[in-house]
Amino acid sequence: MNDVHDRIPADASAPVETLCEGRWLSLRKRGRWEYAERNNPGGAVIILAVTPADNVLFVEQYRVSILQNTIEMPAGLVGDLVDQPDESALLAAQRELEEETGYRCQRVEFVHRGPSSSGMSTEMITFARAWDLEKVGSGGGDDTENIVVHEVPRSEAGAWLFARAAEGYSIDPKLFAGLWFIEHTGR
């Protein structure tokens, strides 16, 4: 078997060139590789949330980048608030859960962290499990968002997602990882 270092491309250590820089993303080039880089160092968080009635929380919103309505789990950027640049993923999870769904959790726990699209982006995503949910508001996101909240029985969540896909919604494949994490993470 080859040594792992033998499989690293020769241009992996080339200097980084900035092709374009925006508020939230930058386009970089290293050798022959082009990739997007998040300008917030905390990445993103996906919240695995199940209500006391055993419903999984999903959010629906239009995503301009793909010109389509999507079904996602509550999620958001970590450290994207001007006054909280050092926010942790778990604090962002609590904030985003309440903002997007109207549910507050008593406890949130780290489940997993990994790349959102390792061939295209440096963004790392943290999956966080929210526990002991309580409905405290209507949700819907902040004033820049138009989010619809869906509460789906956990036992029907996979079938519900495939039915939405058949209706033309974009279904984030990470949702299926999220459902697996819900079933395989304990208290």
Side-chain angles (χ1 to χ4, degrees), residues 15-175:
V16 175
E17 179 184 349
T18 299
L19 303 177
C20 181
E21 196 158 24
R23 179 176 179 194
W24 300 110
L25 292 171
S26 295
L27 182 59
R28 310 268 193 226
K29 183 176 180 180
R30 182 187 300 263
R32 69 182 188 273
W33 307 95
E34 294 176 350
Y35 56 93
E37 183 173 272
R38 277 271 178 218
N39 293 338
N40 65 309
V45 64
I46 295 175
I47 303 103
L48 311 168
V50 180
T51 70
D54 204 31
N55 292 325
V56 178
L57 295 178
F58 294 108
V59 295
E60 172 187 331
Q61 58 186 317
Y62 189 83
R63 293 296 193 176
V64 173
S65 59
I66 60 170
L67 301 175
Q68 198 170 3
N69 279 309
T70 67
I71 302 292
E72 304 167 355
M73 286 180 167
L77 296 178
V78 177
D80 64 330
L81 300 178
V82 174
D83 61 338
Q84 296 181 26
D86 297 323
E87 177 182 49
S88 72
L90 297 182
L91 284 175
Q94 291 176 306
R95 174 179 56 79
E96 291 287 351
L97 176 67
E98 187 171 339
E99 178 184 292
E100 292 190 0
T101 69
Y103 276 92
R104 184 176 295 151
C105 65
Q106 296 302 310
R107 185 168 62 91
V108 64
E109 104 185 302
F110 171 85
V111 175
H112 181 73
R113 185 171 191 258
S116 63
S117 178
S118 60
M120 194 220 41
S121 173
T122 63
E123 178 180 65
M124 296 298 280
I125 293 182
T126 299
F127 283 84
R129 179 75 191 261
W131 296 99
D132 305 317
L133 275 61
E134 174 188 5
K135 186 77 169 167
V136 296
S138 60
D142 63 24
D143 58 357
T144 67
E145 299 169 309
N146 187 12
I147 292 173
V148 176
V149 180
H150 297 280
E151 297 187 28
V152 179
R154 181 167 48 165
S155 63
E156 300 170 18
W160 184 85
L161 290 171
F162 283 118
R164 299 299 74 75
E167 293 172 1
Y169 286 88
S170 172
I171 307 299
D172 184 340
K174 291 182 290 299
L175 296 182

